[in-house]
Amino acid sequence: MSIHKGDIPVLTIKPPAGWQMIDFKELIAYRDLFYFLIVRNLKVMYAQTILGVGWGIIQPLMNIVIFTIIFGKVAKIPSDGVPYTLFSALAIIPWTYMSTALTQSSQSLVSNQSMLGKIYFPRLIFPLTTVLSSLGNFIISILLLVAILAYYKVAPTWDILYLPLFVLMMISVPAGAGLWLSALAIRYRDVKFALNYVIQLLMYTAPIVYSASTIPDKYRIIYSLNPIVGVIEGFRSMFLGTGMNWQYIVPGMITAVLLLISGAFYFRRMEKVFVDVV
């Protein structure tokens, strides 16, 4: 009995074409890998260090001390009547998380390129697990913030209930930007070098050193489109109980959502070429 070539079934696998939605069912199916990579990142973060998790407090603490001396004592930058140490702490802690998570997520594909060509799994896992594992340091640094609030005898108000909202917004910023930049960095390694300068610029475009109230009214809407502004103003308003500055927060929320959605679509569109260009 002879078998003709046309009788043999052929399975052709092609990458999806065009813009693709995030396959949440697939991400859920790979939840064990998701969990494993987050745990691995947390272990690597403090591996072979003497101070261990203490670095999660030392880094923001040093920045708070330096900012207080230079901008609070020497430059005497106004802080809306809030002690400058507390004023800067409420900005530096979320900023440290966002800048660190953004830097690491942008390089997540490049640093794990050895895994990309060996086995299939949703590539979205790399930048997302990096962003989530960076929350370990943020949670530790919150203890420092609580100590500073207690020192200045600032009691929590009902505005603290907004904390999950602003943590979610804080995560969305490096997650969205990280999806964009990780997909770009796999092809253009310039991203790694350019990002160092961009991070420094972003710090001065947000109200970390100064108060957002110093921005002239005619520029306030444009200024508030920066999602980092919304996160920092949200943290300050929430912990100080001064009333929510929604005029700074809502535009940033919209930008953060658009950044996350567009980053996810761009990542999915470029995903099919990752293995070819590493």
Side-chain angles (χ1 to χ4, degrees), residues 8 24 49 62 81 84-85 94 130 150 217 244 258 275-276:
I8 301 175
F24 290 103
T49 62
M62 292 305 296
Y84 200 87
T85 302
T130 305
D217 290 343
M244 306 307 294
L258 293 176
V275 176
D276 297 329

Side-chain angles (χ1 to χ4, degrees), residues 169 172-173 176 227 250-264:
M169 184 179 176
S172 300
V173 176
V250 173
M253 281 183 174
I254 296 172
T255 305
V257 171
L258 293 176
L259 183 65
L260 184 61
I261 294 174
S262 62

Side-chain angles (χ1 to χ4, degrees), residues 50-70:
I50 297 176
L51 298 179
V53 297
W55 285 110
I57 290 180
I58 291 174
Q59 184 181 359
L61 176 61
M62 292 305 296
N63 286 332
I64 291 167
V65 170
I66 292 171
F67 277 42
T68 300
I69 294 173
I70 295 177

Side-chain angles (χ1 to χ4, degrees), residues 106-181:
S106 68
Q107 295 301 308
S108 58
L109 291 177
V110 176
S111 58
N112 291 285
Q113 58 181 291
S114 58
M115 292 178 63
L116 292 178
K118 293 180 179 177
I119 186 173
Y120 174 78
F121 55 88
R123 305 321 194 203
L124 274 167
I125 286 179
F126 276 139
L128 294 183
T129 52
T130 305
V131 169
L132 293 178
S133 58
S134 296
L135 281 173
N137 267 340
F138 172 75
I139 293 171
I140 294 169
S141 60
I142 282 292
L143 299 176
L144 172 63
L145 179 59
V146 170
I148 295 173
L149 288 167
Y151 177 80
Y152 286 104
K153 298 180 181 177
V154 177
T157 66
W158 287 109
D159 288 340
I160 199 69
L161 296 176
Y162 288 111
L163 181 61
L165 174 66
F166 290 111
V167 169
L168 191 61
M169 184 179 176
M170 181 186 71
I171 295 172
S172 300
V173 176
L179 289 172
W180 272 100
L181 294 177

Side-chain angles (χ1 to χ4, degrees), residues 197-256:
Y197 298 101
V198 173
I199 291 288
Q200 292 178 24
L201 292 174
L202 284 175
M203 190 181 78
Y204 293 106
T205 61
I208 299 172
V209 173
Y210 54 88
S211 170
S213 61
T214 59
I215 301 298
D217 290 343
K218 60 181 179 181
Y219 300 124
R220 191 159 292 174
I221 291 295
I222 297 174
Y223 179 73
S224 302
L225 290 175
N226 181 354
I228 300 172
V229 174
V231 173
I232 292 173
E233 282 301 304
F235 268 75
R236 280 187 179 141
S237 302
M238 177 178 58
F239 280 103
L240 295 176
T242 54
M244 306 307 294
N245 289 323
W246 294 112
Q247 70 270 25
Y248 293 108
I249 298 169
V250 173
M253 281 183 174
I254 296 172
T255 305

